[in-house]
Amino acid sequence: MTAVYDIAVVGGGLAGACAAALLVRHGGIEPQRIALLAGELNAASTLDAPPDLRVVAISRASERVLRAADAWARLDQARLCAYERMRVWHESSAADSEAALCFDAADIGEPNLGFIAENGALLQACIDSFRAAGGTLITERLAGLVMDADAAHLTCSDGTELAARLVVGADGAQSLVRERIGLTVRTREYRQLAIVATVHTERAHEHTAWQRFLRSGPLAFLPLFDGSSSIVWSVDEAQAPELRDCSAAQFGQRLESAADGVLGATTLASERSSFALRSMTAESYIAPRCALIGDAAHVIHPLAGQGANLGLLDAAALCEAVAGASAQREDPGALRVLRGYEQQRRTHNLFMNAAMSALHRGFGVARGPAAWLLNRGLGAVNRSGALKRAFARQALGTAGALPRLARARLDEPVS
């Protein structure tokens, strides 16, 4: 027997789980008519566990989306770390120089710029919200997908078959949904790897996100709830194996040097992991009865930590498009409905991809006249209240056109 749904969300990552939780609550469709093919789920962390290796920077706009999904309240607030400041500088200057760019939430009347949260906890909160609202969770992977005029026909890894009027591809950069419906992508390889780890630092992180741009790539320290920091260190492919495989003591010394000692001595507190850096853009986010969100639609350089936030905004925009169609008794898989989603999100995501690529190129200069000009430019931004506020709005995730679910005040209920 084939199970029939209105919407099937494929992919158990953050974008897919959040989209499913939003759709069961705000999509105007009966919850039992929405399925989430999440694949195998990881066990939830215990309350006293060390911080997850994989963390994400959640903007204020994304916080609103997660509140709308009824996921934010399900998080252990003690394991969130608000970051109140961002300090960015180039290797040719010092962290406390005039050329270092500093954004402070207090300067724009905000309590913080966002939160550093554990990816696993966010994912679990979204799935718990989806199930609590009556959605159907399927812990199998997608094995096959065939489209016809009336429905998407999905085959799960255990042989189960289901059909849906709309399939949401949220199955990551190697999306099977995207492949099966024939949507092409443009990819750029940065020929770099990002090394991630948790470290203890001699000096307190001061609820500040620190980022130093080196010729080989950016190095970020993200503050964590227990006083430790999560690092994301982008390095050339040739340099990565040595940093990944050297002793913990050697890694700490090299990390301290790369950060110019801004947080003092560093001590490795976890394993080291790495992933290749690339950008990817789907030529189209939609096809009849299908929409792509999150990494299935776009991947950007992680230097500003915006990948997860873009995926959450995709989820909110798609939910609003579906809700509008439901209110008009339209088919949620109709191209007219999906085009509204694509038009809103693709423009914003293309801008962010171009901006991250430009920052990567611009900050990749070494010393000399180019570095001097860069530092002069950072100093000018630092002295301009208007420019700093504009940059701060980008950090908050409140710049540009946003889905309604990302614009609601944090202290008001979401309809």
Side-chain angles (χ1 to χ4, degrees), residues 151-204:
H153 301 273
L154 302 90
T155 303
C156 299
S157 52
D158 66 348
T160 301
E161 296 183 351
L162 53 144
R165 292 198 292 166
L166 169 64
V167 61
V168 180
D171 49 341
Q174 305 301 319
S175 171
L176 180 60
V177 171
R178 188 184 66 226
E179 176 192 321
R180 290 300 173 90
I181 61 175
L183 293 178
T184 58
V185 300
R186 287 183 288 111
T187 303
R188 175 187 175 185
E189 300 289 342
Y190 286 103
R191 305 185 190 285
Q192 290 186 321
L193 271 70
I195 298 173
V196 297
T198 304
V199 299
H200 294 303
T201 57
E202 180 181 11
R203 298 175 190 150

Side-chain angles (χ1 to χ4, degrees), residues 105-127:
D107 293 340
I108 53 174
E110 293 284 347
N112 58 64
L113 297 173
F115 292 85
I116 307 300
E118 296 164 295
N119 186 77
L122 290 169
L123 176 57
Q124 188 64 54
C126 288
I127 288 176

